[in-house]
Amino acid sequence: MRKIDLFIRVQGPMAPGGSSRAEPSFNSWVLLLVVAACLLGPFDLLAQAAGPASPTSTSAGVATTASTATAPVSSQSTSTVSLLDPAALSLSVTSALKAAQSGASGGSHAGPPGELQFLSRIQRVGAPYPVKTDAGIERFLFPAILSASDEGGQDLVGGLIHVKPDTGKVLAWPSVDAQGEPLFLETESALRTRLTSQHASPAPPPESEPLYRPVPVTTAPATLPDVYLLRGWRRLPAKSQDPRLAWIDLVNRQGRYRTLLRYSPEEGLEPPRQSMSVAASLCADWWRARLGLPHRTYVNWLTGMRELGANPRELHVQYLFHGKPTIPMALLTDPVTGEGVPRVLAGFSQILTAPTTGLLPDPLEADSIADPMRFEIDASRYGMEGQFKPLELPPSGKKAAGKSPSPEEQALKQVRKALRDHGILLASVVSDDVEEAIALHGVAVIGVARVADVPSVLFPELRGDRGLDYPLQGMGRTRLMSVPISKLRDVHAFPHPLRLQMTRLAQGGRLLLSVSASSGRAIDLDALDVQLGGKQQDGVSLGGRTLSGLSASRVQRGRYLITVPDAAPADETARLTIAADAEYHRNPDGKPTVSSFLLSEIPDVP
């Protein structure tokens, strides 16, 4: 255990709310027009697909159907990986499906209940459909054929199994709704026609929006140079930022919203610009898990699927309800809803740390619907304290050229320390093309590393496949992304200082130190330092014992036994000063929690 300097003095608490960085200026109309033109510019085209034939094979009652998958071939796409032949792919998928189906009857499959229920209904898999990019075949989609038949006697497909082309590994099982029902039912021929049409439609790249270009982390994150990752980041709930085509069509036909949601292949499949609310919800999810609070559930308004954690739509509605700043609607609106686009990160940090309690309606919903959404907000909903801390990152760009260490190196060190001190960070990312552009995209930072030798922040982000089955997530798979640290505009931390309580176990010198978070969850310390003052002075660190009898030892999670010398209880001036340190639970200034207790005033254990 490392020793804490007890002579570090703790500064006063910071004022809640507010960003220490100036908001982007709107005085330059030229810049705004450039940004708007870029944001509304044309999208890249997805490469077209080609498909091999799949032979017939049978294994343990689950069969694969031989047929030829035809799709337009992109003459500029050549595979850069060594692909398995169709027979090997089919056998691999069949074997994985058999193993997964055993989970429905007490097997080892660890998927959610809805997924297990659906997998048990799959009778066989169809011929694979290839998904191609400029780099070659990215994956194959195997139709999951159910026993149900249409009026013409044809078997129906209830989803697509995503498979790696070089190993045959299943990337994702078909997506299902909260009741385990498929998101679509159609014949294999109709499905192929739809996939070919959607794959050839103009659409943005799978994990981007205009001017936002994250770099996927394709290697094991722990192997990246200079990497630091928060504990528990892999357990963050998956939250799709892309709509599901069938769901958008359904709510539009039902007239659920005041305006028709705009999301279709004909309109470019441009996702809503509500990433800040998604990032903010992930910050709440990480802290609720850290504090031992259970995840809530909600229905994703974009997909109709049930998800875990804080509801991003709930946060977005609060942002609009409180009149937080948005981009002028004459320049830019949300492409799906027509709402204003949030532009100030501090608005979401203020909502997380000081939510307005009560019932809040969704202003997008029509007055006539029978089951209107009401967001029930309470003070402890997001697991936050009543404050957030903006980070003062060094300026980068031309103004900082030639400085040593570089602003990027300084920022890397600063963000790493903030992660260690305060846990997950909420950040906004600026444009990749326009210097000092408005930062419209939000991310939940869970780590730092060098990606392609560039100091970068790491964050989880879930995107769909722009209509190709929807989505690659399966049921809860996210993708780790990165952006250069120089692209950060605002970064906010959420301090959660420790609570220290001291009680007397019995007459004499046996004391119990209880360490907890604001939620009451017991927190284990990384370091503990105890100093005895008064007529007799001494000091000890966790696990140690002095000649005078002062000692400190761990009893159980968040509980520490401290013994003082026999003469200390009789000394009216005797005082214990405790310095307690735990990663993610440091004070707003980044220092450990320090408390002082007069021995004569320590209460007995109830």
Side-chain angles (χ1 to χ4, degrees), residues 394-435:
S396 59
K398 296 177 182 178
K399 297 178 182 179
K403 290 187 177 181
S404 182
S406 69
E408 291 76 17
E409 294 296 334
Q410 296 177 51
L412 183 68
K413 181 178 180 180
Q414 188 175 351
V415 173
R416 183 192 304 270
K417 184 179 187 304
L419 287 166
R420 290 185 181 275
D421 290 347
H422 308 305
I424 197 166
L425 306 174
L426 180 61
S428 58
V429 179
V430 300
S431 158
D432 200 34
D433 288 358
V434 184
E435 186 174 359

Side-chain angles (χ1 to χ4, degrees), residues 84 88-89 91-93 96 142 162-171:
L84 290 181
L89 278 172
L91 287 173
S92 177
V93 175
F142 279 79
H162 298 251
V163 178
K164 281 195 72 174
D166 54 339
T167 65
K169 177 183 177 182
V170 172
L171 296 171

Side-chain angles (χ1 to χ4, degrees), residues 88-285:
L89 278 172
S90 297
L91 287 173
S92 177
V93 175
T94 299
S95 176
L97 178 59
K98 177 186 174 183
Q101 287 176 330
S102 68
S105 57
S108 59
H109 181 66
E115 182 178 282
L116 294 177
Q117 176 184 332
F118 175 78
L119 292 180
S120 66
R121 296 168 55 187
I122 299 176
Q123 299 300 306
R124 55 191 174 89
V125 296
Y129 181 93
V131 178
K132 271 199 167 187
T133 66
D134 289 338
I137 295 179
E138 179 189 62
R139 63 185 178 275
F140 283 104
L141 307 178
F142 279 79
I145 299 175
L146 308 181
S147 58
S149 300
D150 68 356
E151 293 180 357
Q154 298 186 68
D155 289 335
L156 297 178
V157 176
L160 291 169
I161 303 170
H162 298 251
V163 178
K164 281 195 72 174
D166 54 339
T167 65
K169 177 183 177 182
V170 172
L171 296 171
W173 296 110
S175 300
V176 294
D177 64 17
Q179 288 73 44
E181 292 299 318
L183 301 184
F184 65 84
L185 280 174
E186 55 189 322
T187 65
E188 191 170 358
S189 59
L191 172 65
R192 281 188 191 287
T193 300
R194 177 169 66 84
L195 289 178
T196 301
S197 172
Q198 291 175 359
H199 201 187
S201 298
E207 63 277 289
S208 75
E209 56 197 47
L211 297 185
Y212 167 63
R213 295 187 177 90
V215 179
V217 176
T218 57
T219 60
T223 65
L224 292 170
D226 291 343
V227 68
Y228 174 77
L229 293 164
L230 294 179
R231 296 194 298 270
W233 77 267
R234 288 188 182 276
R235 295 191 294 274
L236 283 171
K239 300 182 179 185
S240 178
Q241 299 185 41
D242 287 320
R244 181 165 63 91
L245 289 170
W247 178 256
I248 297 299
D249 179 64
L250 175 64
V251 295
N252 280 343
R253 284 188 284 105
Q254 290 177 339
R256 184 169 189 87
Y257 298 113
R258 297 177 186 274
T259 182
L260 294 178
L261 300 184
R262 299 184 296 274
Y263 188 79
S264 68
E266 294 75 24
E267 293 173 300
L269 296 176
E270 189 176 353
R273 291 194 177 94
Q274 299 185 12
S275 58
M276 285 190 186
S277 61
V278 175
S281 73
L282 289 172
C283 291
D285 295 341

